[in-house]
Amino acid sequence: MKYIRYAFWAALAVVLICVSLANRGPVTLNLLPADLAELLNFQYSATVPVFIVILGGIIAGLLIGFVWEWLREHKHRAVAAQRKTEVRRLERQLKKTQDERDKDKDEVLAILDQSA
């Protein structure tokens, strides 16, 4: 299974390198549209290769998706934490009840009752 994972990552690396080499041409990215930039008297632009834009879009999409999923699953994590707290409380209560039950018994009998 480890070799399949390595083969997948190697194939992905080859594909990304090929896409990057095929899209080395420069492109200018503007922060604001030209009309809005004139109105605000502020314009920022950068000239980068096209593959940077493509890979940056993929990475931004993945990050947005991860954050979206994390926020969406909040209710499930909250319920799991609540149930974990409840289980701990019940385990403590069970231990206390067993200790009270076994306080007057012989140690050997108490151990045998706990294992049953």
Side-chain angles (χ1 to χ4, degrees), residues 19-59:
V19 168
S20 298
L21 290 174
N23 294 291
R24 290 181 291 168
V27 65
T28 301
L29 299 176
N30 294 318
L31 181 64
L32 299 171
D35 295 336
L36 187 58
E38 283 181 25
L39 180 67
L40 296 176
N41 199 18
F42 175 76
Q43 177 66 326
Y44 178 77
S45 63
T47 302
V48 294
V50 175
F51 76 89
I52 298 285
V53 176
I54 294 169
L55 295 178
I58 292 170
I59 291 170

Side-chain angles (χ1 to χ4, degrees), residues 66-85:
F66 288 146
V67 169
W68 186 268
E69 271 302 300
W70 182 76
L71 291 173
R72 190 184 67 83
E73 293 174 351
H74 171 71
K75 60 184 172 186
H76 300 293
R77 288 191 310 274
V79 168
Q82 181 182 8
R83 288 185 180 161
K84 187 176 181 179
T85 303

Side-chain angles (χ1 to χ4, degrees), residues 84-95:
K84 187 176 181 179
T85 303
E86 182 70 15
V87 165
R88 285 184 188 153
R89 186 186 65 78
L90 290 172
E91 285 175 346
R92 283 193 307 267
Q93 185 179 0
L94 177 63
K95 178 73 171 146

